Amino acid sequence: MTVSTIAIRPLWLRVLQFPPTRIVLLGGIIFYMMAVNNGFMEDFKATPVVAIAITIGMGGLAMAIYAGWGRFIERREVTELSLPGMGREWATGALIGAGLFASCAMILMMLGMYRIEGLNPLSFLIPAVAMALSSGIFEELFFRGVVFRSVEDLFGSWISLVVSSLVFGFIHLLNPGGTIEGAIYISIEAGLLLAAAYLLTRRLWMSIGFHMAWNYTQSAIFSGVVSGGVTLPGLIRDVIEGPELLTGGSFGLESSVIALVLCTTAGVILLMIAVRRGHILPPPWKR
């Protein structure tokens, strides 16, 4: 049945179903939409509610395009975006993301490197919402939904874990404050953790929740620099002083040993659970 079905599929469809084509076309569409949305966020940064509304609309459209590609081009059920269990998985990822960043900040406080000088009005919590939504939706659709799945189809989960993590980390060199050290740290700590969240559930909601919550907590609450890019004043007025090895310097806390240890440990734990659940896909020659 399967062989016959594949044999009668037209050539154009088989080309579109080829994983590298998925990366170029579907990935290109999502990446372009992310860039356009980032432009809108910059244009409407003085009116953050408008930026949030645009990001929700653009993010919903990106999800619809992703789901449509899976349904009509790949001819499969797009389980990674199915709604049952979405809230639970998103909330779990969000708790992990917010908890890990808060733990990093508390360690810096205990070391005397993070000092709170006061609080800003609650309205300072609003501007970072659009940024968190954008990074959580677009980046997870692209890096885990497109890149990870495509490389996994070709070479299996382990190689895909390495490749997608490196691509995810080094794409941050495009940020104004991007550094090689920051890119390497993100590849290890965040690339592993986010891919492990996907492997654990074989769905995107947990990684989306983590990504949103980490970035939002870092920017909106702790007023931190997000991956060498976003620098918005948040709720807490703080002063961070200490060696870049521990504070992350101008790149942000992702480039610190503290985040590297905590996030990598969490990622390894999730990955071990995913392995026990049998969610690791071997390469095609071993299937």
Side-chain angles (χ1 to χ4, degrees):
M1 177 72 72
T2 303
V3 175
S4 300
T5 303
I6 294 175
I8 63 174
R9 289 178 183 173
L11 177 61
W12 65 267
L13 183 57
R14 281 180 279 160
V15 170
L16 290 177
Q17 290 174 339
F18 191 46
T21 307
R22 183 194 305 151
I23 294 176
V24 173
L25 294 183
L26 178 59
I29 292 171
I30 293 174
F31 199 86
Y32 176 74
M33 291 182 68
M34 177 171 62
V36 171
N37 187 73
N38 288 343
F40 283 136
M41 289 195 300
E42 181 65 23
D43 292 340
F44 292 98
K45 63 182 179 181
T47 51
V49 174
V50 175
I52 293 169
I54 292 174
T55 301
I56 291 174
M58 291 284 288
L61 179 59
M63 286 187 171
I65 291 173
Y66 179 96
W69 182 283
R71 176 67 180 85
F72 298 109
I73 300 299
E74 298 179 47
R75 305 293 176 89
R76 65 180 181 87
E77 185 180 356
V78 188
T79 55
E80 63 268 31
L81 286 180
S82 60
L83 297 181
M86 175 191 72
R88 180 183 67 255
E89 292 172 7
W90 184 92
T92 300
L95 287 173
I96 294 173
L100 282 173
F101 189 87
S103 298
C104 292
M106 290 183 67
I107 290 173
L108 283 180
M109 290 180 192
M110 291 187 291
L111 293 174
M113 299 179 187
Y114 187 106
R115 186 173 71 254
I116 297 177
E117 293 196 327
L119 297 177
N120 289 316
L122 291 177
S123 59
F124 279 60
L125 293 170
I126 299 175
V129 173
M131 176 273 298
L133 288 169
S134 176
S135 59
I137 295 172
F138 290 107
E139 292 185 27
E140 290 312 302
L141 285 176
F142 180 78
F143 291 107
R144 257 57 64 179
V146 176
V147 175
F148 185 94
R149 286 189 56 253
S150 298
V151 178
E152 185 182 50
D153 285 347
L154 291 171
F155 302 109
S157 298
W158 294 119
I159 292 179
S160 183
L161 178 63
V162 174
V163 172
S164 64
S165 296
L166 288 173
V167 174
F168 178 64
F170 279 84
I171 202 72
H172 287 81
L173 289 175
L174 297 176
N175 289 345
T179 64
I180 293 294
E181 293 82 0
I184 293 173
Y185 275 49
I186 286 182
S187 295
I188 298 171
E189 65 196 20
L192 169 64
L193 179 53
L194 292 166
Y198 169 74
L199 283 169
L200 178 64
T201 60
R202 281 288 170 181
R203 287 149 59 82
L204 291 171
W205 299 118
M206 183 180 290
S207 61
I208 290 174
F210 172 87
H211 207 145
M212 285 183 182
W214 173 279
N215 284 2
Y216 184 78
T217 303
Q218 185 171 11
S219 179
I221 298 177
F222 289 95
S223 303
V225 182
V226 180
S227 310
V230 178
T231 54
L232 295 172
L235 180 64
I236 297 175
R237 287 189 281 111
D238 56 19
V239 174
I240 302 176
E241 295 177 331
E244 290 190 7
L245 185 67
L246 296 177
T247 65
S250 60
F251 186 86
L253 199 55
E254 293 102 330
S255 188
S256 73
V257 171
I258 297 172
L260 179 68
V261 172
L262 291 184
C263 293
T264 303
T265 300
V268 169
I269 292 171
L270 294 183
L271 189 58
M272 291 172 62
I273 299 173
V275 171
R276 285 203 297 267
R277 290 183 178 181
H279 289 182
I280 303 300
L281 187 68
W285 54 90
K286 291 186 177 179
R287 294 174 196 170

